[in-house]
Amino acid sequence: MELSSWYTILGVAIIVIAVIERFVIYKVLVGSNRWLPEKASRLANLSSGITLLAGVAILIGNAVLSKH
């Protein structure tokens, strides 16, 4: 398998993890902790965005620093 296809698979996996994380955090905050939906949505989006940014930074860093 080509190296670029691995980066594509990992990129899609990062996006899927961030989306799932967003919905799980929202459901837990609204359901269990009784947060207001607006406040829970803001926190869920923030944490998902941080996860997405960290994943993309790691993926790009690996692509730049790895020896091909």
Side-chain angles (χ1 to χ4, degrees):
M1 214 175 206
E2 285 186 30
L3 190 60
S4 63
S5 62
W6 280 111
Y7 286 119
T8 304
I9 292 169
L10 291 174
V12 170
I14 290 169
I15 292 170
V16 168
I17 289 170
V19 169
I20 291 172
E21 177 188 10
R22 190 247 182 251
F23 285 113
V24 167
I25 290 174
Y26 179 81
K27 286 289 192 182
V28 168
L29 290 176
V30 171
S32 299
N33 294 342
R34 308 279 189 230
W35 281 36
L36 293 173
E38 297 84 16
K39 190 175 178 183
S41 179
R42 190 174 340 139
L43 184 63
N45 288 339
L46 180 66
S47 65
S48 178
I50 289 170
T51 301
L52 186 63
L53 182 66
V56 169
I58 291 170
L59 194 62
I60 290 173
N62 187 18
V64 169
L65 296 176
S66 68
K67 298 176 183 177
H68 299 296

